[in-house]
Amino acid sequence: MKNVFQHFILSIVVTLTAFSCSDTSDVETIKLAHSLDVNHSVHKAMVKMGEDLAEISGGKMQLEIYPSQQLGTERECIELLQIGSLDMTKVSVGVMENFAPRMKVFGLPYLFRDRAHAFEVLDGPIGQELLDEGTKYWIKGMCYYDAGSRSFYTKDKPINSPEDLKGLKIRVMESVTAMDMVKSLGGSPTPISWGELYTSLQQGVVDGAENNPPSFYLSRHYEVCKYYSLDEHTVLPDVLIIGTHVWDRLSEQQKKWLQQAVDQSVSYQRELWAEAEKEALEEVQKAGVTVVRPDKSSFANDVEGVYEAYSKDDDMKDLINRIKNN
């Protein structure tokens, strides 16, 4: 009798375990990693995306987020995504140009007339065309997040004109366009990963860097660099990407759920970004940073050579003209 009872209990356990496994396998869990601080507007937008995805799908899809370089740098996350060890990541479009070459167009200084023009391009056919650029490298672009305008910040002196950059080592992303831009202004571009930049600034490996106000603030680089010059040379968005290994296995319904959650996160992030930019500039000035608003025309004139080099490629020349005439 005891053996019969034990077998009965064991059969219940096995049945419950089977149901549990079945329930788990019915939920599509997508792992997303990025390098940003949890207070960044992009991270907050991703948290909302995860909440929306669970609600839209009725709990059939969920997002696991790993922030703050827990799984590696931007480039490392792209490589993890390519080999199928990561599902989604957020990277700067400047890093993406190594995997989707035509995206380097976004690194061209003073490409957009203003923020509204940038959004029109990103949200339109040109933006979608460039999101699809990386598919042959197992990468599909999902959306663009607002990353504002990038400007120079330095340790020892303000940048009032391009002449002030001469002889300075300026950290840039692993982007040929960014390096060309800094060279054209007289600086010495130095590629360094974002996670190593604070220490590199402290130790004098570089004299400055360039980024948007929230990144300058949240990275605490203002503790080392006391001059921030709002020359706003580039509007370089962030890109949310997914591995084609994940996208191709999703059903059409799952793709719709995911894209809807992504799209909703974009409008939410743009609202947060506008607030974050204002707060960042206020806070860094409270911390003793001198914010400079230089005449942008001298910077724009000095980078014309970058356009001339890119215009030698007929495809890039056409793309630049389409963006400027959009």
Short mmCIF file of all heavy atoms in Angstrom, two decimals, residues 36-95:
data_model
loop_
_atom_site.label_atom_id
_atom_site.label_comp_id
_atom_site.label_asym_id
_atom_site.label_seq_id
_atom_site.Cartn_x
_atom_site.Cartn_y
_atom_site.Cartn_z
N LEU A 36 23.96 51.58 -20.52
CA LEU A 36 23.58 52.81 -19.85
C LEU A 36 23.19 52.63 -18.38
O LEU A 36 22.82 51.54 -17.94
CB LEU A 36 22.40 53.45 -20.59
CG LEU A 36 22.67 53.86 -22.04
CD1 LEU A 36 21.38 54.28 -22.72
CD2 LEU A 36 23.70 54.98 -22.09
N ASP A 37 23.28 53.73 -17.64
CA ASP A 37 22.87 53.79 -16.24
C ASP A 37 21.36 53.57 -16.14
O ASP A 37 20.61 53.92 -17.06
CB ASP A 37 23.25 55.18 -15.69
CG ASP A 37 22.95 55.32 -14.21
OD1 ASP A 37 21.82 55.73 -13.87
OD2 ASP A 37 23.84 55.03 -13.40
N VAL A 38 20.91 53.03 -15.02
CA VAL A 38 19.47 52.74 -14.85
C VAL A 38 18.63 54.02 -14.74
O VAL A 38 17.40 53.97 -14.84
CB VAL A 38 19.22 51.84 -13.61
CG1 VAL A 38 19.80 50.47 -13.83
CG2 VAL A 38 19.77 52.49 -12.34
N ASN A 39 19.27 55.16 -14.51
CA ASN A 39 18.54 56.42 -14.46
C ASN A 39 18.41 57.08 -15.82
O ASN A 39 17.76 58.13 -15.95
CB ASN A 39 19.24 57.39 -13.49
CG ASN A 39 19.19 56.91 -12.06
OD1 ASN A 39 18.12 56.56 -11.56
ND2 ASN A 39 20.33 56.87 -11.39
N HIS A 40 19.02 56.49 -16.85
CA HIS A 40 18.98 57.06 -18.18
C HIS A 40 17.59 56.89 -18.80
O HIS A 40 16.91 55.89 -18.55
CB HIS A 40 20.02 56.37 -19.07
CG HIS A 40 20.37 57.10 -20.31
ND1 HIS A 40 19.53 57.16 -21.39
CD2 HIS A 40 21.47 57.83 -20.66
CE1 HIS A 40 20.08 57.87 -22.36
NE2 HIS A 40 21.26 58.30 -21.93
N SER A 41 17.18 57.87 -19.61
CA SER A 41 15.84 57.82 -20.21
C SER A 41 15.64 56.59 -21.09
O SER A 41 14.53 56.05 -21.16
CB SER A 41 15.60 59.09 -21.04
OG SER A 41 16.49 59.18 -22.13
N VAL A 42 16.70 56.12 -21.75
CA VAL A 42 16.58 54.94 -22.61
C VAL A 42 16.28 53.70 -21.77
O VAL A 42 15.43 52.88 -22.14
CB VAL A 42 17.84 54.74 -23.47
CG1 VAL A 42 17.84 53.37 -24.12
CG2 VAL A 42 17.93 55.82 -24.55
N HIS A 43 16.95 53.56 -20.63
CA HIS A 43 16.68 52.41 -19.76
C HIS A 43 15.24 52.46 -19.26
O HIS A 43 14.53 51.44 -19.26
CB HIS A 43 17.64 52.37 -18.57
CG HIS A 43 17.32 51.27 -17.60
ND1 HIS A 43 17.63 49.95 -17.84
CD2 HIS A 43 16.66 51.30 -16.40
CE1 HIS A 43 17.19 49.20 -16.83
NE2 HIS A 43 16.59 49.99 -15.95
N LYS A 44 14.80 53.65 -18.84
CA LYS A 44 13.42 53.78 -18.35
C LYS A 44 12.42 53.45 -19.44
O LYS A 44 11.37 52.83 -19.18
CB LYS A 44 13.19 55.21 -17.84
CG LYS A 44 13.98 55.53 -16.56
CD LYS A 44 13.76 56.98 -16.14
CE LYS A 44 14.55 57.30 -14.89
NZ LYS A 44 14.40 58.73 -14.47
N ALA A 45 12.74 53.83 -20.68
CA ALA A 45 11.85 53.51 -21.80
C ALA A 45 11.81 52.00 -22.05
O ALA A 45 10.77 51.45 -22.41
CB ALA A 45 12.32 54.24 -23.05
N MET A 46 12.96 51.34 -21.85
CA MET A 46 13.00 49.90 -22.03
C MET A 46 12.19 49.18 -20.95
O MET A 46 11.56 48.15 -21.22
CB MET A 46 14.45 49.42 -22.01
CG MET A 46 15.23 49.82 -23.24
SD MET A 46 16.96 49.36 -23.07
CE MET A 46 17.57 49.78 -24.71
N VAL A 47 12.23 49.71 -19.73
CA VAL A 47 11.43 49.13 -18.65
C VAL A 47 9.94 49.23 -19.03
O VAL A 47 9.19 48.26 -18.87
CB VAL A 47 11.70 49.86 -17.31
CG1 VAL A 47 10.69 49.41 -16.25
CG2 VAL A 47 13.13 49.59 -16.84
N LYS A 48 9.54 50.39 -19.55
CA LYS A 48 8.16 50.56 -20.00
C LYS A 48 7.85 49.60 -21.14
O LYS A 48 6.76 49.01 -21.20
CB LYS A 48 7.90 52.00 -20.44
CG LYS A 48 6.51 52.22 -21.03
CD LYS A 48 6.24 53.65 -21.38
CE LYS A 48 4.95 53.81 -22.19
NZ LYS A 48 3.79 53.15 -21.58
N MET A 49 8.81 49.44 -22.05
CA MET A 49 8.63 48.52 -23.17
C MET A 49 8.35 47.10 -22.66
O MET A 49 7.48 46.40 -23.19
CB MET A 49 9.86 48.52 -24.08
CG MET A 49 9.79 47.56 -25.25
SD MET A 49 11.13 47.79 -26.43
CE MET A 49 12.55 47.41 -25.43
N GLY A 50 9.10 46.69 -21.64
CA GLY A 50 8.88 45.37 -21.07
C GLY A 50 7.50 45.23 -20.44
O GLY A 50 6.82 44.20 -20.62
N GLU A 51 7.07 46.28 -19.74
CA GLU A 51 5.73 46.26 -19.12
C GLU A 51 4.65 46.22 -20.20
O GLU A 51 3.68 45.46 -20.09
CB GLU A 51 5.56 47.51 -18.24
CG GLU A 51 6.48 47.52 -17.02
CD GLU A 51 6.50 48.87 -16.32
OE1 GLU A 51 5.91 49.85 -16.86
OE2 GLU A 51 7.09 48.96 -15.23
N ASP A 52 4.82 47.03 -21.24
CA ASP A 52 3.84 47.07 -22.33
C ASP A 52 3.79 45.74 -23.08
O ASP A 52 2.72 45.26 -23.45
CB ASP A 52 4.18 48.19 -23.30
CG ASP A 52 3.88 49.57 -22.74
OD1 ASP A 52 3.23 49.64 -21.67
OD2 ASP A 52 4.30 50.57 -23.35
N LEU A 53 4.96 45.15 -23.30
CA LEU A 53 5.02 43.88 -24.03
C LEU A 53 4.27 42.79 -23.28
O LEU A 53 3.52 42.01 -23.88
CB LEU A 53 6.48 43.47 -24.24
CG LEU A 53 6.72 42.17 -25.01
CD1 LEU A 53 6.15 42.26 -26.42
CD2 LEU A 53 8.21 41.84 -25.06
N ALA A 54 4.46 42.74 -21.96
CA ALA A 54 3.76 41.73 -21.15
C ALA A 54 2.25 41.95 -21.21
O ALA A 54 1.47 40.99 -21.33
CB ALA A 54 4.26 41.80 -19.71
N GLU A 55 1.84 43.22 -21.17
CA GLU A 55 0.41 43.53 -21.20
C GLU A 55 -0.19 43.25 -22.58
O GLU A 55 -1.25 42.60 -22.69
CB GLU A 55 0.21 45.01 -20.85
CG GLU A 55 -1.26 45.42 -20.81
CD GLU A 55 -1.45 46.88 -20.45
OE1 GLU A 55 -0.49 47.51 -19.99
OE2 GLU A 55 -2.57 47.39 -20.66
N ILE A 56 0.47 43.72 -23.64
CA ILE A 56 -0.04 43.53 -25.01
C ILE A 56 -0.16 42.05 -25.36
O ILE A 56 -1.12 41.62 -26.00
CB ILE A 56 0.90 44.23 -26.03
CG1 ILE A 56 0.86 45.74 -25.86
CG2 ILE A 56 0.54 43.85 -27.46
CD1 ILE A 56 1.99 46.46 -26.57
N SER A 57 0.82 41.26 -24.92
CA SER A 57 0.85 39.84 -25.28
C SER A 57 0.06 38.96 -24.31
O SER A 57 0.03 37.74 -24.48
CB SER A 57 2.30 39.35 -25.34
OG SER A 57 2.88 39.35 -24.04
N GLY A 58 -0.53 39.58 -23.29
CA GLY A 58 -1.25 38.79 -22.30
C GLY A 58 -0.33 37.88 -21.51
O GLY A 58 -0.72 36.78 -21.12
N GLY A 59 0.90 38.35 -21.29
CA GLY A 59 1.87 37.57 -20.52
C GLY A 59 2.62 36.52 -21.32
O GLY A 59 3.43 35.78 -20.77
N LYS A 60 2.40 36.48 -22.63
CA LYS A 60 3.06 35.45 -23.46
C LYS A 60 4.47 35.86 -23.89
O LYS A 60 5.22 35.03 -24.39
CB LYS A 60 2.20 35.15 -24.69
CG LYS A 60 0.87 34.49 -24.35
CD LYS A 60 0.03 34.26 -25.59
CE LYS A 60 -1.31 33.62 -25.23
NZ LYS A 60 -2.18 33.45 -26.43
N MET A 61 4.79 37.15 -23.71
CA MET A 61 6.15 37.61 -24.02
C MET A 61 6.64 38.49 -22.87
O MET A 61 5.87 39.23 -22.27
CB MET A 61 6.19 38.40 -25.33
CG MET A 61 5.85 37.59 -26.56
SD MET A 61 6.02 38.56 -28.10
CE MET A 61 7.81 38.59 -28.31
N GLN A 62 7.92 38.39 -22.59
CA GLN A 62 8.49 39.23 -21.54
C GLN A 62 9.92 39.62 -21.89
O GLN A 62 10.58 38.98 -22.71
CB GLN A 62 8.44 38.54 -20.19
CG GLN A 62 9.30 37.28 -20.08
CD GLN A 62 9.20 36.63 -18.71
OE1 GLN A 62 8.25 36.86 -17.97
NE2 GLN A 62 10.19 35.82 -18.38
N LEU A 63 10.39 40.68 -21.21
CA LEU A 63 11.71 41.24 -21.47
C LEU A 63 12.56 41.12 -20.21
O LEU A 63 12.09 41.46 -19.12
CB LEU A 63 11.53 42.71 -21.85
CG LEU A 63 12.57 43.39 -22.73
CD1 LEU A 63 12.69 42.71 -24.08
CD2 LEU A 63 12.18 44.87 -22.93
N GLU A 64 13.78 40.64 -20.36
CA GLU A 64 14.76 40.64 -19.27
C GLU A 64 15.83 41.66 -19.62
O GLU A 64 16.48 41.55 -20.67
CB GLU A 64 15.42 39.26 -19.10
CG GLU A 64 14.57 38.26 -18.39
CD GLU A 64 15.31 36.93 -18.17
OE1 GLU A 64 16.54 36.87 -18.46
OE2 GLU A 64 14.67 35.96 -17.76
N ILE A 65 16.04 42.68 -18.77
CA ILE A 65 16.96 43.77 -19.10
C ILE A 65 18.20 43.70 -18.22
O ILE A 65 18.11 43.57 -17.00
CB ILE A 65 16.27 45.13 -18.92
CG1 ILE A 65 14.97 45.19 -19.74
CG2 ILE A 65 17.20 46.27 -19.35
CD1 ILE A 65 14.14 46.44 -19.50
N TYR A 66 19.37 43.80 -18.87
CA TYR A 66 20.66 43.81 -18.17
C TYR A 66 21.36 45.13 -18.48
O TYR A 66 21.99 45.28 -19.52
CB TYR A 66 21.53 42.63 -18.64
CG TYR A 66 20.91 41.27 -18.38
CD1 TYR A 66 20.00 40.73 -19.30
CD2 TYR A 66 21.20 40.57 -17.23
CE1 TYR A 66 19.41 39.49 -19.06
CE2 TYR A 66 20.61 39.32 -16.98
CZ TYR A 66 19.73 38.79 -17.90
OH TYR A 66 19.14 37.56 -17.66
N PRO A 67 21.25 46.13 -17.59
CA PRO A 67 21.84 47.45 -17.86
C PRO A 67 23.30 47.56 -17.42
O PRO A 67 23.89 46.58 -16.93
CB PRO A 67 20.95 48.37 -17.02
CG PRO A 67 20.59 47.53 -15.83
CD PRO A 67 20.48 46.11 -16.35
N SER A 68 23.86 48.75 -17.60
CA SER A 68 25.16 49.14 -17.03
C SER A 68 26.33 48.23 -17.42
O SER A 68 27.17 47.89 -16.58
CB SER A 68 25.05 49.22 -15.50
OG SER A 68 23.98 50.06 -15.12
N GLN A 69 26.36 47.79 -18.65
CA GLN A 69 27.46 46.95 -19.17
C GLN A 69 27.60 45.63 -18.43
O GLN A 69 28.69 45.06 -18.38
CB GLN A 69 28.78 47.71 -19.13
CG GLN A 69 28.91 48.78 -20.19
CD GLN A 69 30.34 49.27 -20.38
OE1 GLN A 69 31.27 48.90 -19.67
NE2 GLN A 69 30.52 50.15 -21.36
N GLN A 70 26.51 45.12 -17.87
CA GLN A 70 26.58 43.83 -17.16
C GLN A 70 27.04 42.71 -18.09
O GLN A 70 27.72 41.77 -17.65
CB GLN A 70 25.21 43.47 -16.58
CG GLN A 70 24.80 44.29 -15.39
CD GLN A 70 23.44 43.86 -14.85
OE1 GLN A 70 23.08 42.69 -14.89
NE2 GLN A 70 22.67 44.81 -14.36
N LEU A 71 26.69 42.80 -19.36
CA LEU A 71 27.06 41.75 -20.32
C LEU A 71 28.11 42.23 -21.32
O LEU A 71 28.41 41.51 -22.28
CB LEU A 71 25.82 41.24 -21.05
CG LEU A 71 24.72 40.63 -20.18
CD1 LEU A 71 23.61 40.03 -21.05
CD2 LEU A 71 25.27 39.56 -19.24
N GLY A 72 28.66 43.43 -21.10
CA GLY A 72 29.73 43.88 -21.98
C GLY A 72 29.50 45.26 -22.56
O GLY A 72 28.47 45.89 -22.33
N THR A 73 30.48 45.73 -23.32
CA THR A 73 30.41 47.03 -23.98
C THR A 73 29.42 46.95 -25.15
O THR A 73 28.91 45.87 -25.47
CB THR A 73 31.78 47.43 -24.54
OG1 THR A 73 32.16 46.47 -25.56
CG2 THR A 73 32.85 47.44 -23.46
N GLU A 74 29.18 48.09 -25.78
CA GLU A 74 28.24 48.10 -26.91
C GLU A 74 28.70 47.15 -28.01
O GLU A 74 27.91 46.35 -28.53
CB GLU A 74 28.10 49.53 -27.46
CG GLU A 74 27.32 50.46 -26.54
CD GLU A 74 26.87 51.73 -27.24
OE1 GLU A 74 27.48 52.11 -28.25
OE2 GLU A 74 25.89 52.33 -26.76
N ARG A 75 29.96 47.23 -28.36
CA ARG A 75 30.47 46.36 -29.43
C ARG A 75 30.39 44.89 -29.01
O ARG A 75 30.01 44.02 -29.81
CB ARG A 75 31.91 46.73 -29.78
CG ARG A 75 32.40 46.00 -31.03
CD ARG A 75 33.82 46.35 -31.39
NE ARG A 75 34.18 45.70 -32.65
CZ ARG A 75 34.12 46.28 -33.84
NH1 ARG A 75 33.72 47.53 -33.93
NH2 ARG A 75 34.46 45.62 -34.93
N GLU A 76 30.72 44.58 -27.76
CA GLU A 76 30.65 43.21 -27.28
C GLU A 76 29.21 42.68 -27.30
O GLU A 76 28.97 41.51 -27.64
CB GLU A 76 31.24 43.11 -25.87
CG GLU A 76 32.75 43.25 -25.85
CD GLU A 76 33.32 43.48 -24.46
OE1 GLU A 76 32.54 43.81 -23.53
OE2 GLU A 76 34.55 43.35 -24.29
N CYS A 77 28.26 43.55 -26.97
CA CYS A 77 26.85 43.14 -26.99
C CYS A 77 26.39 42.84 -28.42
O CYS A 77 25.63 41.89 -28.64
CB CYS A 77 25.97 44.21 -26.36
SG CYS A 77 26.00 44.21 -24.55
N ILE A 78 26.86 43.63 -29.38
CA ILE A 78 26.52 43.35 -30.78
C ILE A 78 27.07 41.99 -31.18
O ILE A 78 26.39 41.18 -31.84
CB ILE A 78 27.07 44.44 -31.72
CG1 ILE A 78 26.33 45.76 -31.51
CG2 ILE A 78 26.90 44.00 -33.18
CD1 ILE A 78 26.85 46.90 -32.37
N GLU A 79 28.29 41.70 -30.78
CA GLU A 79 28.91 40.43 -31.14
C GLU A 79 28.20 39.26 -30.46
O GLU A 79 28.03 38.19 -31.06
CB GLU A 79 30.40 40.47 -30.78
CG GLU A 79 31.19 41.41 -31.70
CD GLU A 79 32.59 41.74 -31.19
OE1 GLU A 79 32.91 41.36 -30.05
OE2 GLU A 79 33.35 42.38 -31.95
N LEU A 80 27.75 39.45 -29.21
CA LEU A 80 26.97 38.41 -28.53
C LEU A 80 25.66 38.17 -29.26
O LEU A 80 25.19 37.04 -29.40
CB LEU A 80 26.68 38.83 -27.08
CG LEU A 80 27.84 38.77 -26.09
CD1 LEU A 80 27.43 39.36 -24.75
CD2 LEU A 80 28.31 37.32 -25.89
N LEU A 81 25.06 39.26 -29.72
CA LEU A 81 23.81 39.17 -30.47
C LEU A 81 24.01 38.40 -31.78
O LEU A 81 23.20 37.56 -32.15
CB LEU A 81 23.29 40.59 -30.73
CG LEU A 81 21.93 40.76 -31.40
CD1 LEU A 81 21.24 41.99 -30.86
CD2 LEU A 81 22.09 40.89 -32.90
N GLN A 82 25.13 38.66 -32.44
CA GLN A 82 25.39 38.01 -33.74
C GLN A 82 25.56 36.49 -33.61
O GLN A 82 25.19 35.76 -34.53
CB GLN A 82 26.64 38.61 -34.38
CG GLN A 82 26.43 40.01 -34.94
CD GLN A 82 27.69 40.56 -35.55
OE1 GLN A 82 28.74 40.63 -34.92
NE2 GLN A 82 27.62 40.98 -36.81
N ILE A 83 26.11 36.06 -32.48
CA ILE A 83 26.32 34.62 -32.32
C ILE A 83 25.15 33.93 -31.60
O ILE A 83 25.19 32.74 -31.33
CB ILE A 83 27.64 34.31 -31.57
CG1 ILE A 83 27.62 34.87 -30.14
CG2 ILE A 83 28.83 34.84 -32.35
CD1 ILE A 83 28.82 34.46 -29.29
N GLY A 84 24.12 34.73 -31.28
CA GLY A 84 22.92 34.15 -30.68
C GLY A 84 22.94 34.03 -29.18
O GLY A 84 22.05 33.40 -28.59
N SER A 85 23.92 34.65 -28.50
CA SER A 85 23.99 34.58 -27.03
C SER A 85 23.22 35.71 -26.35
O SER A 85 23.08 35.72 -25.13
CB SER A 85 25.45 34.62 -26.58
OG SER A 85 26.15 33.50 -27.05
N LEU A 86 22.74 36.66 -27.14
CA LEU A 86 21.96 37.79 -26.64
C LEU A 86 20.89 38.08 -27.68
O LEU A 86 21.12 37.90 -28.87
CB LEU A 86 22.87 39.01 -26.42
CG LEU A 86 22.22 40.29 -25.89
CD1 LEU A 86 21.68 40.07 -24.47
CD2 LEU A 86 23.24 41.44 -25.88
N ASP A 87 19.72 38.54 -27.22
CA ASP A 87 18.61 38.75 -28.15
C ASP A 87 18.52 40.19 -28.67
O ASP A 87 18.33 40.41 -29.86
CB ASP A 87 17.28 38.38 -27.47
CG ASP A 87 17.26 36.93 -27.05
OD1 ASP A 87 17.89 36.10 -27.74
OD2 ASP A 87 16.62 36.60 -26.02
N MET A 88 18.62 41.16 -27.75
CA MET A 88 18.48 42.56 -28.14
C MET A 88 19.52 43.41 -27.42
O MET A 88 19.99 43.05 -26.33
CB MET A 88 17.08 43.11 -27.81
CG MET A 88 15.95 42.46 -28.56
SD MET A 88 14.32 43.16 -28.11
CE MET A 88 14.32 44.69 -29.02
N THR A 89 19.85 44.54 -28.02
CA THR A 89 20.73 45.49 -27.35
C THR A 89 20.49 46.88 -27.90
O THR A 89 19.85 47.05 -28.94
CB THR A 89 22.22 45.11 -27.49
OG1 THR A 89 23.01 45.97 -26.67
CG2 THR A 89 22.70 45.24 -28.94
N LYS A 90 20.97 47.88 -27.18
CA LYS A 90 20.89 49.27 -27.61
C LYS A 90 22.30 49.76 -27.82
O LYS A 90 23.16 49.61 -26.95
CB LYS A 90 20.21 50.11 -26.53
CG LYS A 90 19.92 51.55 -26.90
CD LYS A 90 21.09 52.51 -26.98
CE LYS A 90 22.04 52.54 -25.83
NZ LYS A 90 23.23 53.43 -26.14
N VAL A 91 22.57 50.33 -28.98
CA VAL A 91 23.91 50.88 -29.24
C VAL A 91 23.77 52.23 -29.90
O VAL A 91 22.74 52.56 -30.48
CB VAL A 91 24.75 49.95 -30.14
CG1 VAL A 91 25.00 48.62 -29.47
CG2 VAL A 91 24.08 49.75 -31.49
N SER A 92 24.82 53.02 -29.82
CA SER A 92 24.83 54.27 -30.55
C SER A 92 24.96 53.96 -32.04
O SER A 92 25.62 53.00 -32.43
CB SER A 92 26.01 55.14 -30.11
OG SER A 92 26.17 56.24 -30.99
N VAL A 93 24.34 54.79 -32.85
CA VAL A 93 24.43 54.59 -34.29
C VAL A 93 25.89 54.70 -34.76
O VAL A 93 26.27 54.14 -35.79
CB VAL A 93 23.52 55.60 -35.03
CG1 VAL A 93 24.11 56.98 -35.04
CG2 VAL A 93 23.23 55.14 -36.45
N GLY A 94 26.72 55.40 -33.96
CA GLY A 94 28.14 55.51 -34.30
C GLY A 94 28.85 54.17 -34.25
O GLY A 94 29.75 53.89 -35.04
N VAL A 95 28.44 53.31 -33.32
CA VAL A 95 29.01 51.97 -33.23
C VAL A 95 28.42 51.07 -34.32
O VAL A 95 29.11 50.23 -34.89
CB VAL A 95 28.75 51.36 -31.83
CG1 VAL A 95 29.26 49.92 -31.75
CG2 VAL A 95 29.43 52.21 -30.75
#
